Amino acid sequence: AQSVTQLGSHVSVSEGALVLLRCNYSSSVPPYLFWYVQYPNQGLQLLLKYTSAATLVKGINGFEAEFKKSETSFHLTKPSAHMSDAAEYFCAVSKAAGNKLTFGGGTRVLVKP
Amino acid sequence: EPEVTQTPSHQVTQMGQEVILRCVPISNHLYFYWYRQILGQKVEFLVSFYNNEISEKSEIFDDQFSVERPDGSNFTLKIRSTKLEDSAMYFCASSGGQPNQPQHFGDGTRLSIL
């Protein structure tokens, strides 16, 4: 069975500071990995995905994530936080294209001026 | 950009009543999903649907739940006899099924059972 662990349910960063959201996964097969963002009262929007190509993946809004097989991690980073980055972020894993997503518990990001 | 649309955005229903949540997936997608998110909890998979049949379902998706693609564009989730614990945000998603085609989500239907 697959599982995803997001370390830290809440993260507070200052505007302009580095954003680092941690995600570790377990999967019996090489996984597909995703980060989604959820703004208040909205659905889940894809930030980026890893599907066995380059291990450093760039997404929208300046975010990127690095797949590290040895650490079973897929941490999300952004060099400089913006107020508009305040949202909840979900890491998810899938065994294959078309398969269900298994989500982590989410990390809510607060950006301080 | 094409998007997944869900209606209604908010549904209030008495316990024991039937409810149908509606979704219009992206038109050329082949895989359809329902997820739910109970307030304060993680997003949970309910069911996936491909080629006009359920391809996978979770233990949450018991006999009270059913899905249907009645007309080639809509994708519905029916809860036959709602319980208080069914109160949650329900998300529909669709995907093309290829590795470079992730799931796209709708904005959700907030279901409140009284």
Side-chain angles (χ1 to χ4, degrees), chain B:
Chain B
E1 185 175 324
E3 55 183 34
V4 176
T5 56
Q6 291 186 242
T7 54
S9 57
H10 192 187
Q11 174 79 47
V12 181
T13 301
Q14 292 288 331
M15 186 174 59
Q17 296 296 305
E18 175 183 286
V19 65
I20 297 176
L21 309 183
R22 302 181 190 279
C23 170
V24 179
I26 294 173
S27 62
N28 62 348
H29 281 183
L30 302 175
Y31 292 79
F32 314 109
Y33 314 82
W34 283 101
Y35 294 84
R36 79 173 185 189
Q37 185 181 27
I38 295 172
L39 188 64
Q41 298 185 24
K42 63 171 64 177
V43 178
E44 302 172 289
F45 168 75
L46 290 177
V47 65
S48 58
F49 192 86
Y50 171 72
N51 200 25
N52 285 318
E53 61 183 25
I54 291 174
S55 50
E56 187 175 2
K57 61 183 181 179
S58 71
E59 62 271 16
I60 302 168
F61 194 88
D62 61 21
D63 291 344
Q64 296 296 316
F65 291 87
S66 61
V67 290
E68 198 175 40
R69 189 158 161 78
D71 56 13
S73 62
N74 290 283
F75 180 51
T76 61
L77 174 69
K78 182 193 289 186
I79 309 175
R80 258 179 279 280
S81 178
T82 50
K83 302 186 280 284
L84 293 176
E85 53 265 38
D86 294 327
S87 295
M89 182 73 89
Y90 288 80
F91 292 106
C92 174
S94 69
S95 76
Q98 298 301 313
N100 64 340
Q101 295 175 320
Q103 292 181 30
H104 293 259
F105 284 76
D107 283 344
T109 293
R110 182 170 299 283
L111 178 63
S112 300
I113 307 300
L114 304 179

Side-chain angles (χ1 to χ4, degrees), chain A:
Chain A
Q2 301 164 100
S3 67
V4 178
T5 301
Q6 291 183 240
L7 190 62
S9 59
H10 291 79
V11 166
S12 180
V13 299
S14 297
E15 192 174 18
L18 171 73
V19 179
L20 170 61
L21 305 183
R22 299 180 187 275
C23 172
N24 289 89
Y25 69 90
S26 69
S27 177
S28 57
V29 298
Y32 293 168
L33 292 158
F34 307 85
W35 277 98
Y36 284 85
V37 61
Q38 186 180 31
Y39 299 102
N41 300 313
Q42 293 187 27
L44 298 162
Q45 180 183 1
L46 181 72
L47 273 180
L48 47 78
K49 63 183 185 292
Y50 167 77
T51 57
S52 77
T55 56
L56 183 62
V57 181
K58 294 190 185 297
I60 62 171
N61 302 339
F63 285 92
E64 63 182 36
E66 186 172 10
F67 171 66
K68 291 188 176 179
K69 184 178 179 180
S70 60
E71 298 177 9
T72 61
S73 68
F74 190 56
H75 301 330
L76 181 72
T77 59
K78 181 174 180 177
S80 177
H82 191 272
M83 296 299 291
S84 61
D85 296 326
E88 188 155 21
Y89 293 78
F90 293 92
C91 182
V93 64
S94 174
K95 280 194 297 191
N99 272 205
K100 68 178 183 184
L101 293 173
T102 299
F103 285 87
T107 299
R108 189 171 298 278
V109 173
L110 172 67
V111 183
K112 299 177 291 185

